[in-house]
Amino acid sequence: MVMLTPASARPLAERPHLATAVGGAESNVACTLARLGHRTAWVGRVGDDPFGAMVTGDLAGHGVDVSGVGVDSGRPTGVYVKDPAPGGTRVYYYRRGSAASAMGPDTAAAVLSARPRLVHLSGVTPALSESCAALVDRLVAGASGGPITSFDVNHRPRLWAGGAAETLRRLADAADVVFVGRDEAEALWGTSTADEVRALLPRPRHLVVKDAGEPAVEFHPEGRTAVPAPRARIVEPVGAGDAFAAGFLSGLLTGRPAEQRLRLGHLCAAATLGTVTDLAPLPAPETIDGLLTTPSWPHAATEALSRA
């Protein structure tokens, strides 16, 4: 989607200048993975309008393959607006009847034809329409012997008319890699700890439970690993979860151990917290490599981020 966000991180009611950018859960992950050195592609649909051209041009500029993106002449590109406030950022979506909402199970063919090593989806997509829900079912719940499936629960209550809790639980428990916030898991399923989430979702090979500034926990075949988050300057939080997922997936794809992949997730998320957009400059590769192995984590990461 195209994103409008106050450049000064002030509430919309104060009529601040709005910056135009591109955002979206899966596309954010694709962009960040590309910046970390991975080959990525984004498959979706945009309208035949300037916003659609902006989306494809921006993603291509980040190194993401957009050859699988369809252009819909009858439906518009979705738009969303961020409204920062002291109590937290609210997001307003203008995507009903958008080009993306017309995706369906047939879109899965475009995804699988590329023979990807990993497919990443989020809980935003099945909320868009019945056909989009069927698409996610095809790629996550219907997958067998194909690519690694990664699913970020990413619950957005404003997009759901009902049924979110069971649908998102079923999809999450069918994926290979799952990301969920401890707070959203509590709101959806009544779980209050990471271990309770694991009891509810026993099947994923890698289950990551994030908890804002508290340690992130990964349940994996070797056991359970928790890694504290570095302190970060928070300008605007939307997009940080996508950055975390991209960092973690980068670590997973390159064979890093659990502690290092969680550290990389934290580093990418912390960088994004310091900007009003969904994508932020990442630390230099040599800085990242050093922080992933330093024995003084998270203090060294906090210091490095404060100098960025």
Side-chain angles (χ1 to χ4, degrees):
M1 295 172 294
V2 164
M3 173 183 66
L4 302 176
T5 183
S8 58
R10 290 162 48 209
L12 288 174
E14 297 180 10
R15 301 179 68 179
H17 173 74
L18 296 179
T20 305
V22 171
E26 293 90 346
S27 59
N28 288 341
V29 171
C31 287
T32 303
L33 277 169
R35 295 161 77 188
L36 289 168
H38 299 270
R39 293 178 59 201
T40 67
W42 181 73
V43 176
R45 289 175 66 85
V46 297
D48 186 13
D49 51 38
F51 286 156
M54 189 184 305
V55 169
T56 54
D58 190 84
L59 296 185
H62 282 97
V64 177
D65 182 348
V66 294
S67 60
V69 178
V71 178
D72 191 325
S73 61
R75 298 178 179 87
T77 303
V79 175
Y80 74 107
V81 186
K82 289 184 178 181
D83 184 18
T89 297
R90 297 189 71 179
V91 178
Y92 294 89
Y93 297 96
Y94 300 91
R95 61 188 308 171
R96 187 179 300 277
S98 69
S101 70
M103 292 189 298
D106 56 327
T107 308
V111 175
L112 299 175
S113 66
R115 297 184 177 275
R117 185 179 172 192
L118 178 145
V119 174
H120 178 76
L121 300 114
S122 85
V124 172
T125 304
L128 300 182
S129 66
E130 290 185 6
S131 61
C132 282
L135 166 63
V136 178
D137 267 335
R138 170 70 180 84
L139 289 172
V140 178
S144 178
I148 299 168
T149 54
S150 170
F151 184 73
D152 189 339
V153 172
N154 213 351
H155 180 220
R156 295 291 182 262
R158 287 172 174 263
L159 295 178
W160 288 88
E166 178 52 28
T167 297
L168 294 175
R169 187 209 61 77
R170 177 177 55 80
L171 291 169
D173 205 35
D176 300 310
V177 183
V178 174
F179 303 93
V180 64
R182 189 207 58 76
D183 56 343
E184 69 178 339
E186 184 170 12
L188 280 167
W189 308 311
T191 54
S192 58
T193 67
D195 294 282
E196 289 180 5
V197 177
R198 183 52 163 175
L200 184 73
L201 304 174
R203 295 177 59 188
R205 186 173 177 83
H206 301 273
L207 170 64
V208 179
V209 182
K210 303 166 292 178
D211 193 5
E214 299 300 315
V217 177
E218 180 193 353
F219 297 91
H220 48 80
E222 292 75 39
R224 180 188 194 275
T225 301
V227 172
R231 292 194 302 275
R233 183 174 69 99
I234 301 176
V235 173
E236 200 281 307
V238 175
D242 303 327
F244 184 102
F248 178 91
L249 291 172
S250 177
L252 183 67
L253 291 169
T254 53
R256 292 188 179 275
E259 181 167 356
Q260 291 186 21
R261 52 190 183 241
L262 287 169
R263 286 187 183 191
L264 185 50
H266 279 312
L267 285 173
C268 293
T272 304
L273 287 170
T275 180
V276 296
T277 65
D278 285 5
L279 297 170
L282 300 176
E286 58 272 19
T287 300
I288 290 176
D289 287 341
L291 291 173
L292 295 187
T293 57
T294 180
S296 58
W297 179 276
H299 305 293
T302 298
E303 292 180 3
L305 290 165
S306 68
R307 294 193 298 268

